[in-house]
Amino acid sequence: IAARESNLVSIQGNMHDELVSDNHHIVLDGKRTPIKYLIGTSISQDRFLYAADSKSKGVEISDNWIRILTWIVTDATLVRKSETQRRIQWKLSRQDKIDNLEALLQSEGIHYTKRKANFSTHNVLQPWYICIHGTKAREICGMLNDIKTYPQKWLNFNKNQVQIFIDTLHQTDGRVHFNHTILSTSKKEESEFLLRLFFNTGVPAKVTVKTQRKGAFKEGSTIYCLEIYEKGVYNRNYVSIKEAGRGNVIAIQMPHQTLVTRRNGKTVVTGNCRLLKHLAEATPALMVVLSDLHGFTVSKLLGLEQFEMNYIARSDLAAWSEKDITKELRKNYMMLYDKSLLFGHYPDMRNMGIPGASGHHHKHLVWSAYSPVYGPYEWHQTGCGHVREASYCAGEKWGNGFLLVHCDTHRKRSQFEYIDLSHEMCMMGGKFYQRLPEEIIHDQ
């Protein structure tokens, strides 16, 4: 994480609120896309990602108990007369709500009482008390830890369970508005929990903070109004992308190249920041601090260690600046096994007269040579390791691949095995591999 001043870009829509630098990448159509190429455009909001793709197996709870606990948290009162005496009580006037609740309790064999209640200032219809007493009331209150809040484990609902939850909200405190659900609460913590729940389970949602004027909540109180788009966001609403002057931004780099942000109650999946480039261009002094005081390396910042990848570079973080990059690449090479092999960045390193390879080029090339030390040997220029259908270039025209080298360190003889990944299949180590259907970008 690092901070700097930058040109700002505003991304605004019904479900969208981001303020980012002009070097930021957003997630559009499921791909990381540079925002600088989209300034001045309006894009349909259904091309953005506002919730996770839920793969949860769900929570061990029956469908009816999801409904019962939702009815309690939204509409009931928990009455605690003593350590052992509990009562769960609803005061309902609408006949459809009374019928739905009674049918639900009867389906689970839960004994309850029903009696007329006194009218209050909000009642137009005759209100009724529906109550659960005794052992069952204590058992249910125990399931909620005697607090009228949703269980934390519900964050792991599967798609079917969250739909049952939303359907129950329609019968209780929620209301249907066109193709989405609106739910209001006076509890900030509850709104935060529900935003997480819906995001985790693949349901786009947002929260708007309002001041209550009249209605069920106390006048002047703060109300958190959730809009839940269980059928997906509208494709007729657009996200506007505009320049927004200059200001301070926070650069965050994540291992999987994306992060989740929330601004003004709107949750968005957005792209990763290029922290290393930011450090080199904007805050070189911070690179010295990270390197000298905290032992940070480029490998650590890129997260290569978790993939068991070696990063070879003669420079450390403190030596980097934008002007130095080309010069550093020129001297970054590695000789292995008593000069049996040489690996570097540029293909002209083959002139050093040692078998080896250079990388990060657009196509695979091979040069043959002879040496009394190495015998007939090869120098390989390997293909790239980029995303094949990259949005920033004609990546499908480039060669993909990497090199396996089998080295006899005693005789200084090497066998080069280039693995071509440019197509829908490859052969490696005598085994045949084929791309998954979603990885194929050209039908053969």
Side-chain angles (χ1 to χ4, degrees):
I1 301 176
R4 68 179 173 107
E5 188 178 13
S6 174
N7 294 323
L8 299 179
V9 179
S10 171
I11 313 172
Q12 296 288 329
N14 176 56
M15 294 289 294
H16 210 120
D17 193 338
E18 287 187 87
L19 186 63
V20 300
S21 77
D22 57 358
N23 284 321
H24 188 70
H25 286 65
I26 60 172
V27 175
L28 183 67
D29 297 325
K31 301 175 184 178
R32 293 177 68 251
T33 306
I35 193 65
K36 61 184 177 182
Y37 301 129
L38 302 174
I39 295 174
T41 64
S42 293
I43 301 173
S44 176
Q45 69 176 1
D46 62 346
R47 297 177 62 188
F48 295 88
L49 189 60
Y50 300 111
D53 182 15
S54 174
K55 293 181 173 61
S56 173
K57 295 181 180 179
V59 175
E60 290 188 12
I61 184 173
S62 71
D63 295 349
N64 269 352
W65 275 104
I66 293 175
R67 297 182 179 104
I68 291 170
L69 295 183
T70 302
W71 267 94
I72 292 171
V73 173
T74 54
D75 267 346
T77 300
L78 303 185
V79 180
R80 180 177 180 176
K81 289 188 173 182
S82 68
E83 288 294 325
T84 57
Q85 286 187 303
R86 302 285 192 279
R87 182 172 80 250
I88 300 171
Q89 176 177 289
W90 289 269
K91 185 179 181 182
L92 303 174
S93 299
R94 282 173 40 190
Q95 191 59 48
D96 61 326
K97 295 185 74 170
I98 294 171
D99 292 343
N100 286 332
L101 178 58
E102 287 194 89
L104 179 60
L105 297 177
Q106 290 168 11
S107 69
E108 287 297 309
I110 297 175
H111 177 74
Y112 64 92
T113 61
K114 179 182 178 184
R115 62 183 177 86
K116 285 185 178 181
N118 295 327
F119 278 84
S120 67
T121 56
H122 298 295
N123 295 132
V124 176
L125 302 173
Q126 172 66 52
W128 292 83
Y129 283 128
I130 296 177
C131 300
I132 302 173
H133 303 267
T135 302
K136 199 64 180 180
R138 289 195 298 273
E139 177 188 327
I140 296 172
C141 287
M143 295 170 68
L144 295 173
N145 295 320
D146 279 325
I147 305 172
K148 210 179 77 157
T149 57
Y150 300 106
Q152 284 291 316
K153 65 180 181 180
W154 284 19
L155 292 173
N156 297 314
F157 270 172
N158 59 32
K159 291 182 181 294
N160 179 65
Q161 288 174 325
V162 77
Q163 190 57 57
I164 291 170
F165 175 58
I166 293 172
D167 291 342
T168 309
L169 291 178
H170 295 165
Q171 298 178 359
T172 55
D173 278 355
R175 59 188 176 90
V176 179
H177 183 74
F178 295 107
N179 73 337
H180 67 277
T181 302
I182 295 177
L183 177 69
S184 297
T185 176
S186 60
K187 301 175 182 177
K188 181 179 179 180
E189 296 80 8
E190 184 174 296
S191 69
E192 299 268 352
F193 176 87
L194 291 174
L195 272 182
R196 288 179 60 196
L197 187 155
F198 293 126
F199 180 87
N200 288 356
T201 51
V203 179
K206 69 174 184 178
V207 62
T208 304
V209 181
K210 300 180 179 179
T211 300
Q212 181 69 20
R213 295 184 178 179
K214 60 180 181 178
F217 297 98
K218 183 180 178 181
E219 186 174 347
S221 60
T222 301
I223 305 302
Y224 302 89
C225 181
L226 282 104
E227 295 181 25
I228 308 159
Y229 292 83
E230 63 268 31
K231 297 180 181 178
V233 297
Y234 299 135
N235 59 11
R236 65 175 181 267
N237 286 344
Y238 284 81
V239 175
S240 177
I241 303 173
K242 299 178 180 179
E243 293 180 340
R246 287 186 65 82
N248 290 326
V249 295
I250 304 296
I252 302 175
Q253 182 162 306
M254 300 296 289
H256 298 291
Q257 307 299 310
T258 56
L259 61 149
V260 179
T261 65
R262 194 181 77 201
R263 189 167 187 261
N264 295 327
K266 300 177 182 181
T267 306
V268 181
V269 178
T270 192
N272 197 44
C273 300
R274 299 176 64 188
L275 179 56
L276 202 58
K277 184 174 186 294
H278 160 76
L279 288 173
E281 294 181 1
T283 53
L286 181 57
M287 300 181 77
V288 179
V289 173
L290 288 174
S291 176
D292 294 351
L293 298 184
H294 299 286
F296 264 77
T297 63
V298 176
S299 181
K300 279 188 178 181
L301 284 174
L302 294 176
L304 298 180
E305 294 174 351
Q306 63 178 311
F307 300 106
E308 299 183 359
M309 296 174 64
N310 295 320
Y311 177 84
I312 307 301
R314 298 188 184 279
S315 61
D316 59 16
L317 287 177
W320 278 44
S321 71
E322 190 172 20
K323 295 179 181 179
D324 289 338
I325 292 176
T326 301
K327 182 173 68 175
E328 291 297 329
L329 288 174
R330 286 286 177 188
K331 67 182 184 182
N332 282 334
Y333 61 86
M334 175 60 68
M335 283 190 287
L336 301 173
Y337 311 123
D338 191 24
K339 300 181 181 179
S340 297
L341 287 171
L342 171 66
F343 294 98
H345 184 78
Y346 290 104
D348 59 9
M349 288 180 177
R350 69 184 185 276
N351 296 327
M352 293 183 181
I354 303 174
S358 52
H360 200 275
H361 285 268
H362 299 179
K363 57 184 177 181
H364 176 222
L365 295 175
V366 183
W367 291 269
S368 297
Y370 171 79
S371 164
V373 178
Y374 307 108
Y377 71 88
E378 297 175 351
W379 183 274
H380 284 248
Q381 173 184 284
T382 64
C384 302
H386 66 87
V387 177
R388 300 177 74 230
E389 197 175 14
S391 60
Y392 48 84
C393 65
E396 66 274 13
K397 297 179 181 179
W398 294 2
N400 280 138
F402 63 92
L403 196 64
L404 287 178
V405 184
H406 310 277
C407 182
D408 182 339
T409 59
H410 296 287
R411 296 181 177 85
K412 295 190 176 182
R413 296 293 194 268
S414 299
Q415 292 286 344
F416 291 83
E417 182 180 354
Y418 182 72
I419 312 300
D420 187 356
L421 302 178
S422 305
H423 308 288
E424 277 41 78
M425 73 293 185
C426 76
M427 180 72 72
M428 182 173 64
K431 187 174 180 179
F432 182 76
Y433 295 86
Q434 193 162 6
R435 292 187 182 274
L436 297 173
E438 59 266 27
E439 295 180 293
I440 298 176
I441 60 174
H442 291 300
D443 292 330
Q444 300 298 325

